[in-house]
Structures are given as structure tokens and as C-alpha cells.
Amino acid sequence: MASERRSSEESAKTRTAILDATEKIMREKGYAAVSSRRVAAVAGLKSQLVHYHFGTMDDLFLALFRRTEEAFFTSHMRASASSNPLQMLWDRSIDARGNRLVAEFMALAHHREAIRTELARAAKRIRNVETAVWARMLEEHGISPETCPPVVASVLMAGISRALATEAALGVSVGHAETLAFVERYLQQMGLQRRPTETPARKKRP
């Protein structure tokens, strides 16, 4: 029993190391740079172990996406339950580190049907959470859904953050500061922005 438990723990550690290495490569070099040999080298393992634990590279990408999506969803749920959920969700949506990996999975989805299916499922899941938050907050502040449809607000928030992330990856920052300021100002005017005492330190953007 003890040996089986140790074997299971070692297997879990190896799988985690492989997933961590794959994520690191995708963030730094892009999904096209991911190979079993490179993953193994970054993880400090033999390349055969990559296929032993994940079968194919598609299986590896899928496992990493599901791990990433679950962590992202959990974080979204925490944000939605905070005292200032819209600001928290906005902060998450413009997080450069998270957007980098999402962009790689979106690019990969053009070539992997399984990833495309999972990405669509995850997007719908997140959209439902964000729309529910918008609906609740708008109602609490007396803003009718006709004036600002919750689902439209959710789409706009996601679209703006995605556009900023895509352009930033290309080295384009024209209009970004103004757009960020506009969104912050809009949230503030609606009375939906977090109280000053809860505002986290925000990095200066170029």
C-alpha cells in the first residue's frame, strides 16, 4: 500500500512537472514551440515520460487547458463574490499573464478541434458568470437592463480586454491608456467601482 501511494504521488508530481513545463514554453515561446523533447528538457525528465503520462501532444494540450480553465473559473467565482465584482473581473480580464496563455490556446484552437470545443465551453461558462454579475450589480444600482443589457456589457468587457491583449502582444499600445481610463471612469460614474481602500496597486502602463 505504501509503495502504491508513493508511486501515485510520484506520478502526480511528474504530470504536474510536465504541465508546468508546457505552460512555461507556451507563455515564453508560443504553442508551436511545444514538443515532447522540449517539454521534457524544461521539466528535467526523459521525453518518453511525456507520452507515457499524456499519450499524445493533443492530450497534453487538452490537460493543460483544463487545468488552466479550472483555475481561471475558480478565480472568477471568487471575484464575482467580492464586494466589487465588476472591478475585480475587469482587473482579471486585463491581466497580461493570463491573456498571454489564453491567446496561445485561441491560436491553437484553429488547428485542434478538441481545444476549440473546450475553449467554446469555457467561454460560455465564463460569460454566464460575468453576465450574472452585471445583472446583479446593475439592478442594485437601479440601472435597467434596457439601458445596459447585462450580456452586452459582458461581451464588451471581454472584447475590449481581448483587443488590448492582442495589440499589446504585437507591441501596439496606441489608445490603450485612454481606453483603460475610459473603462475605469465608466465604472466609477455608474457607482460600480471598488472603494479606494480596496483598490490594489496598479502598474503604470506605457
Side-chain angles (χ1 to χ4, degrees), residues 72-91:
F72 188 77
F73 182 77
T74 298
S75 178
H76 249 56
M77 291 303 293
R78 283 199 300 267
S80 69
S82 68
S83 59
N84 292 277
L86 288 178
Q87 184 71 51
M88 293 292 287
L89 290 175
W90 171 247
D91 287 345

Side-chain angles (χ1 to χ4, degrees), residues 95-112:
D95 175 62
R97 179 175 171 79
N99 281 327
R100 168 62 174 165
L101 196 57
V102 170
E104 287 303 317
F105 276 121
M106 290 185 70
L108 181 61
H110 289 292
H111 310 283
R112 302 288 201 282

Side-chain angles (χ1 to χ4, degrees), residues 2-190:
S3 61
E4 290 181 2
R5 185 167 59 253
R6 283 196 299 272
S7 177
S8 178
E9 290 174 352
E10 290 174 1
S11 178
K13 288 181 179 179
T14 300
R15 286 178 61 87
T16 298
I18 292 171
L19 289 171
D20 289 346
T22 305
E23 180 176 338
K24 178 179 175 61
I25 295 169
M26 287 183 70
R27 288 186 186 280
E28 296 179 355
K29 304 292 184 180
Y31 80 88
V34 176
S35 67
S36 58
R37 287 188 177 183
R38 179 167 286 179
V39 169
V42 173
L45 302 168
K46 293 181 179 180
S47 59
Q48 295 92 324
L49 286 175
V50 175
H51 293 292
Y52 173 79
H53 285 280
F54 292 97
T56 67
M57 295 306 293
D58 280 4
D59 293 332
L60 175 56
F61 281 128
L62 198 57
L64 177 59
F65 177 81
R66 286 171 175 165
R67 184 181 78 164
T68 303
E69 190 264 334
E70 192 57 39
F72 188 77
F73 182 77
T74 298
S75 178
H76 249 56
M77 291 303 293
R78 283 199 300 267
S80 69
S82 68
S83 59
N84 292 277
L86 288 178
Q87 184 71 51
M88 293 292 287
L89 290 175
W90 171 247
D91 287 345
R92 282 199 49 71
S93 72
I94 59 175
D95 175 62
R97 179 175 171 79
N99 281 327
R100 168 62 174 165
L101 196 57
V102 170
E104 287 303 317
F105 276 121
M106 290 185 70
L108 181 61
H110 289 292
H111 310 283
R112 302 288 201 282
E113 184 177 353
I115 293 295
R116 184 164 62 250
T117 299
E118 284 293 293
L119 195 59
R121 177 193 60 77
K124 292 175 183 177
R125 192 183 186 197
I126 292 297
R127 178 64 47 75
N128 288 337
V129 171
E130 293 177 346
T131 299
V133 171
W134 271 102
R136 186 177 79 245
M137 296 302 292
L138 290 169
E139 181 179 8
E140 288 180 4
H141 288 79
I143 301 173
S144 73
E146 288 75 22
T147 300
C148 182
V151 70
V152 173
S154 176
V155 171
L156 288 174
M157 178 180 282
I160 291 172
S161 63
R162 190 173 301 120
L164 293 177
T166 300
E167 291 188 356
L170 297 174
V172 178
S173 61
V174 178
H176 287 203
E178 293 85 350
T179 300
L180 290 168
F182 174 83
V183 173
E184 295 283 353
R185 186 167 61 251
Y186 183 72
L187 291 177
Q188 189 173 35
Q189 288 173 349
M190 291 177 67

